[in-house]
């Protein structure tokens, strides 16, 4: 149970938010330290997972479980892929576009689907990602249909083509940092609003909180973050393909968030890194990872509600003992 | 004594709903709990049927302490329950609602109950296939009462049977309760509307603020009960 | 004209299969309030159990189907009783539990049977000719079993004490308990009934369509589609919607090709969810 926030003093950043940003910053150093293909692969996948999981996490802050992340990722990823056809590759422009296109689509969509709560919201987001998948196949002129769009040109940053493995990874770090900053800014600024909605939406509304406004804002930003994750994914693969945005991958991001811990922004970050690493460590092409996610989800839901972060926090408090 | 409640305490979170309520329901009588909203009537009924667990005190039914008997088993002991606000099963047909009150008693017993209740309440025949949620409030009360009676209970708990009903229906329900009384069924009922309820009861308890203020025969409590009605 | 009728045959066969799937799914939602993401998993288990009984143990197919039903029902019963029941009132938690189970099941099947499709075919082949159209025997048999199963489920729900108790518990759990109905006994039974139906469908349909560890995903999507279209929790609605979905899919694949039909259906379902969550038949539904 979350507590209603009665913050005695407002800090600029809580310790976990500061840690989250610090982790995102530290990531920039890793590509400079090693050339290991394994590290590069794990880190790049994890960075994409971090962004997508933060998108899921923002919705969970409002007690909404979303399966629509792949749909918004596709919007962001395909925006970049299609722009690439016209040789538009500027990093700043494309980052903005990958965020704004899904965010703008989310505005009217949010007006529709945010009327639903609980189970019904889950179902509608599941349906959304199915529709996006079908749309990709049905629009071959725009999206290349089942072939997707291959051979996307590399990003250009200040006139430099970010073409080497190291450059691609550094760029992924950059996107992840931006996404983390956005997620922290949103959830910190509206912390009490989100907490009130998570605790009891109907009560908050009757107490005068304009709930739909914050839910819409959260939905739009979550869509934008998913778009950034899509951008990062497309940039890593240099291909936009429908299978990259299959509705089944929504489950991965939900797993990262729930297992990492839904009560802090460190949850999606730690969850993504840990599970992506485990996926690589566990076997070839991670085909056995799903079962691991399944087991961990059961464990978290049944015995460790706070996920990795929540459980660690609990243990830490217990070790320090009760303090006056 | 069929039902004996001894110093019952019920708490919801930090709020005390009942503090030290003692009630006796002798076999064959109709006992009335009367009092304003929030006096603790429904909490008493819910504690007897097992929907809330008391924080203190004893409930003894037919010589058996109910403390460790879960809600689902109490029906089997012979306690029928018609909840506040009727709460018929809205999507179930009228017949299914009645039969659900005789859950697990076997086909023969269920048929006996249905035939008997249909003879008492013609409504159950007229509307047999209609979902109970579509009925009027008075009709729903008849269904809820029938459901509670379908297991031929020894003790019938009626929580606010007149709530929100027109006088015509109050008369009908009263007649039904009198019929049940004539069959020897023991009834414990709660009511805010003391006037019609007093006509049915043999004994009564006036409740206020989670406590019993006065108890006795109907004539002994009448003035206090009626005073409460206008609070 | 022949093509038109032939498509109708395909559509009705599909519809019967979807109806079996959707009834189990909607039963679980209607009575327990649980969105069962593992539904496709039970379908796959049904298929693999039947396959193993026939292919590895050499048992006759009808017996294999029965074993598949028993196995999926037993697993469903255990899962409900020991895991779901603890958190039955928390809809997001139960959803996550079924999602976790689905991941474990599909991954487990992948590990045991490998990623490739199984050689598993229906023991009856050939077609019966009705005038200009051909109806495959296997489809007729599946249709027959599906319709019987639907009838049996209807009888259980609307003509027995158990069914009445399940519907009463779905309507008002507290009052139902006060009538002597025990959710701890009845909810696992309802869940087992539904997962048994999914297992039955899997055992019957995977020999006709395909059996591989990936087939659970589209099954789940189709169940969603059908159940939302029919109105969550409504049995009649789900059955009706299943035939609509089957027929729409059949005609769109014959006349338009590709996935236009699915796109139209999903879009329709999106709008239904938002504007009319009671579905086509507009029955009373439980709150989420």
């Amino acid at each position: 149970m979350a507590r209603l926030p009665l913050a005695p003093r407002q800090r600029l950043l809580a310790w976990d938010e500061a840690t989250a940003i610090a982790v995102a910053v530290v990531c920039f150093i890793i590509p400079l330290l090693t050339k290991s293909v394994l590290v590069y692969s794990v880190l790049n996948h994890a960075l994409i997972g971090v962004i997508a999981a933060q998108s899921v996490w923002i919705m969970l802050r409002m007690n909404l479980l979303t399966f629509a992340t792949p749909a918004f990722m596709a919007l962001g990823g395909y925006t970049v892929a299609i722009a690439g056809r016209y040789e538009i590759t500027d990093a700043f422009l494309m980052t903005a576009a990958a965020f704004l296109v899904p965010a703008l689509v989310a505005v009217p969509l949010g007006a529709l689907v945010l009327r639903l709560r609980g189970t019904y919201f889950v179902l509608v987001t599941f349906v959304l990602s199915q529709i996006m998948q079908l749309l990709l196949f049905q629009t071959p002129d725009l999206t290349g249909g089942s072939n997707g769009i291959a051979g996307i040109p590399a990003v250009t940053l200040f006139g430099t083509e970010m073409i080497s493995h190291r450059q691609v990874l550094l760029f992924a770090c950059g996107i992840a940092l931006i996404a983390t900053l956005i997620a922290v800014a949103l959830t910190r600024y509206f912390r009490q609003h989100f907490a009130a909605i998570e605790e009891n939406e109907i009560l908050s509304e009757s107490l005068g909180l304009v709930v739909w406004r914050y839910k819409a804002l959260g939905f739009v930003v979550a869509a934008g973050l998913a778009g950034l994750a899509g951008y990062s994914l497309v940039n890593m693969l240099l291909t936009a393909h429908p299978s990259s945005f299959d509705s089944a991958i929504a489950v991965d991001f939900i797993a990262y968030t729930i297992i990492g811990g839904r009560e802090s922004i460190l949850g999606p970050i730690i969850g993504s890194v840990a599970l992506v690493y485990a996926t690589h460590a566990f076997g070839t092409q991670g085909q056995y990872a799903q079962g691991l996610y399944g087991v961990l989800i059961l464990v978290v839901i049944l015995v460790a509600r706070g996920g990795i972060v929540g459980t660690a926090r609990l243990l830490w408090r217990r070790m320090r003992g009760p303090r006056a | 004594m069929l039902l004996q409640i001894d110093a019952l305490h019920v708490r919801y979170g930090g709020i005390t709903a009942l503090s030290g309520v003692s009630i006796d329901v002798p076999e064959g009588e109709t006992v009335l709990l009367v009092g304003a909203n929030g006096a603790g009537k429904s909490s008493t009924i819910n504690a007897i049927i097992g929907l809330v667990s008391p924080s203190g005190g004893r409930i003894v039914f037919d010589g058996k302490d109910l403390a460790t008997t879960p809600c689902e088993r109490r029906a089997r002991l012979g306690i029928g329950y018609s909840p506040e606000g009727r709460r018929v099963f809205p999507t179930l047909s009228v017949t299914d609602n009645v039969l659900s009150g005789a859950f697990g008693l076997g086909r023969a017993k269920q048929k006996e109950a249905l035939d008997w209740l249909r003879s008492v309440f013609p409504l159950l025949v007229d509307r047999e296939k209609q979902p109970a949620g579509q009925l009027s409030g008075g009709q729903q009360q008849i269904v809820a009462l029938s459901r509670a009676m379908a297991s031929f209970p020894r003790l019938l708990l009626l929580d606010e049977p007149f709530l929100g009903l027109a006088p015509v229906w109050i008369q009908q329900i009263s007649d039904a309760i009198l019929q049940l009384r004539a069959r020897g069924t023991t009834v414990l009922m709660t009511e805010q509307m003391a006037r019609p309820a007093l006509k049915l009861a043999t004994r009564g308890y006036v409740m206020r603020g989670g406590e019993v203020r006065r108890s006795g025969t109907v004539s002994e409590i009448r003035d206090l009960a009626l005073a409460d009605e206008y609070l | 004209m022949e093509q038109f009728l032939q498509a109708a045959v395909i559509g009705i066969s599909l519809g019967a299969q979807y109806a079996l799937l959707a009834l189990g799914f909607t039963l679980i939602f209607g009575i327990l309030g649980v969105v069962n993401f593992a539904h496709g998993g039970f379908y796959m288990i049904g298929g693999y159990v039947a396959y193993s009984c026939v292919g590895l143990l050499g048992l006759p197919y009808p017996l294999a189907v029965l074993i598949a039903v028993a196995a999926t029902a037993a697993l469903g019963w255990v899962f409900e009783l020991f895991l779901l029941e603890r958190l039955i009132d928390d809809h997001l938690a139960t959803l996550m539990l079924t999602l976790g189970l689905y991941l474990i099941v599909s991954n487990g099947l992948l590990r045991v049977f490998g990623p490739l499709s199984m050689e598993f075919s229906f023991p009856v082949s050939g077609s019966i000719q009705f005038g200009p159209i051909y109806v495959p025997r296997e489809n007729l048999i599946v249709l027959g079993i599906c319709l019987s199963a639907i009838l049996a489920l209807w009888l259980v729900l609307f003509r027995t004490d158990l069914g009445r108790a399940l519907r009463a518990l779905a309507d008002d759990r507290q009052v139902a308990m006060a009538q002597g109905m025990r959710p701890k006994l009845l909810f696992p039974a309802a869940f087992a009934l539904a997962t048994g139906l999914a297992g039955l469908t899997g055992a019957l349909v995977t020999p006709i369509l395909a059996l591989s560890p990936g087939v659970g995903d589209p099954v789940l999507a189709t169940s969603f589609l059908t159940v939302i279209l029919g109105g969550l929790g409504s049995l009649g609605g789900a059955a009706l919607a299943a035939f609509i979905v089957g027929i729409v899919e059949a005609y769109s694949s014959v006349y338009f090709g590709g996935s236009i039909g699915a796109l139209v259906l999903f879009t329709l379902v999106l709008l239904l969810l938002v504007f009319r969550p009671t579905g086509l038949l507009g029955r009373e539904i439980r709150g989420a």
Side-chain angles (χ1 to χ4, degrees), chain A residues 121-309:
Chain A
F121 184 81
V122 176
L123 292 173
V124 85
T125 56
F126 186 89
V127 168
L128 271 181
S129 68
Q130 298 282 336
I131 289 177
M132 175 55 73
Q133 186 72 196
L134 291 165
L135 276 177
L136 291 179
F137 283 109
Q138 288 298 329
T139 51
D141 296 337
L142 187 65
T143 64
S146 53
N147 298 323
I149 301 174
I152 299 169
V155 179
T156 45
L157 186 65
F158 300 118
T160 318
E161 271 209 315
M162 305 286 280
I163 196 83
S164 73
H165 285 314
R166 177 175 286 170
Q167 285 167 325
V168 168
L169 188 55
L170 280 171
F171 184 70
C173 292
I175 301 248
L177 177 61
I178 290 170
T180 307
L181 288 173
I182 293 173
V184 167
L186 176 80
T187 51
R188 162 97 325 214
Y189 195 78
F190 296 110
R191 194 168 60 97
Q192 308 209 4
H193 307 87
F194 283 141
I197 294 171
E198 186 182 11
E199 174 74 14
N200 190 335
E201 185 179 334
I202 295 160
L203 182 65
S204 319
E205 196 149 33
S206 68
L207 293 176
L209 186 69
V210 188
V211 165
W212 68 264
R213 195 182 291 162
Y214 301 102
K215 282 172 89 172
L217 184 67
F219 187 64
V220 166
V221 172
L225 290 186
L228 290 180
Y231 181 16
S232 194
L233 180 62
V234 161
N235 192 52
M236 179 181 77
L237 303 171
L238 294 180
T239 305
H241 193 270
S243 65
S244 305
F245 305 105
D246 191 285
S247 54
I249 63 169
V251 176
D252 293 352
F253 306 132
I254 291 171
Y256 298 165
T257 312
I258 298 275
I259 294 167
R262 62 182 276 188
E263 57 190 58
S264 156
I265 192 165
L266 277 179
I269 295 176
I270 290 175
S272 307
V273 174
L275 291 182
V276 169
Y277 174 75
T279 304
H280 280 259
F282 249 74
T284 49
Q285 296 134 26
Q287 60 174 346
Y288 295 144
Q290 297 281 316
L292 173 74
Y293 295 180
V295 172
L296 289 175
I297 286 174
L298 293 190
V299 169
V300 166
I301 298 291
L302 288 170
V303 292
R305 264 335 216 345
I308 297 173
V309 172

Side-chain angles (χ1 to χ4, degrees), chain A residues 76-87:
Chain A
Y78 274 92
T79 298
V80 172
I82 291 164
R85 280 185 180 158
Y86 302 98
E87 300 298 324

Side-chain angles (χ1 to χ4, degrees), chain B residues 3-18:
Chain B
L3 179 75
Q4 209 167 1
I5 298 175
D6 192 23
L8 189 67
H9 288 258
V10 169
R11 220 169 267 144
Y12 301 110
I15 302 156
T16 303
L18 293 183

Side-chain angles (χ1 to χ4, degrees), chain B residues 13-226:
Chain B
I15 302 156
T16 303
L18 293 183
S19 47
V21 167
S22 298
I23 289 169
D24 290 334
V25 182
E27 185 113 39
E29 299 219 25
T30 297
V31 176
L32 173 68
L33 303 184
V34 71
N37 219 352
K41 306 184 304 291
S42 286
S43 297
T44 309
I45 296 286
N46 287 340
I48 299 169
I49 195 65
L51 291 175
V52 299
S53 1
S55 51
R58 285 200 322 155
I59 302 172
V60 179
F61 176 72
D62 197 20
K64 179 179 167 31
D65 190 336
L66 294 185
T68 56
T69 313
C71 178
E72 311 94 90
R73 296 247 170 83
R74 297 190 190 188
R76 285 292 172 86
L77 294 176
I79 303 179
Y81 168 57
S82 166
E84 182 182 357
R86 302 174 274 280
R87 289 168 76 173
V88 292
F89 299 121
T91 68
L92 269 61
S93 70
V94 166
T95 301
D96 277 342
N97 262 282
V98 177
L99 289 176
S100 68
F103 174 70
L105 297 184
R107 293 236 167 201
K109 204 88 189 194
Q110 286 178 346
K111 190 176 177 318
E112 189 192 334
L114 192 60
D115 288 345
W116 166 54
L117 288 163
R118 279 176 167 173
S119 69
V120 180
F121 305 113
L123 170 86
L124 300 181
V125 185
D126 301 341
R127 304 293 176 118
E128 56 176 345
K129 295 219 165 91
Q130 201 168 344
Q134 295 176 1
L135 302 178
S136 75
Q139 292 169 329
Q140 289 191 8
Q141 188 60 59
I142 296 279
V143 173
L145 195 60
S146 307
R147 180 178 62 187
M149 286 306 298
S151 59
F152 303 102
R154 300 181 55 198
L155 172 67
L156 180 61
L157 303 175
L158 298 179
D159 201 355
E160 307 264 5
F162 301 149
L163 190 71
L165 296 188
V168 189
W169 283 108
I170 294 182
Q171 189 55 49
Q172 285 219 25
I173 309 267
S174 298
D175 289 347
I177 294 171
L178 286 174
Q179 279 199 49
L180 299 177
R181 219 178 85 176
R183 279 180 63 99
T185 310
T186 311
V187 180
L188 175 62
M189 66 183 287
T190 72
E191 200 42 74
Q192 281 184 58
M193 299 226 260
R195 204 172 289 273
L198 283 168
K199 290 182 192 156
L200 304 171
T202 48
R203 305 173 50 79
Y205 291 79
V206 180
M207 295 186 72
R208 267 185 207 170
E211 291 172 10
V212 172
R213 278 301 161 85
R214 188 180 296 176
S215 64
T217 62
V218 167
S219 54
E220 284 167 350
I221 63 155
R222 179 180 295 273
D223 52 333
L224 187 61
L226 288 178

Side-chain angles (χ1 to χ4, degrees), chain A residues 119-120 126 138 287 290 305, chain C residues 35 93 103 107 224 232 259 285:
Chain A
T119 310
Y120 289 88
F126 186 89
Q138 288 298 329
Q287 60 174 346
Q290 297 281 316
R305 264 335 216 345
Chain C
V35 172
L103 294 176
N107 204 242
F224 271 16
L232 274 159
S259 44
I285 50 160

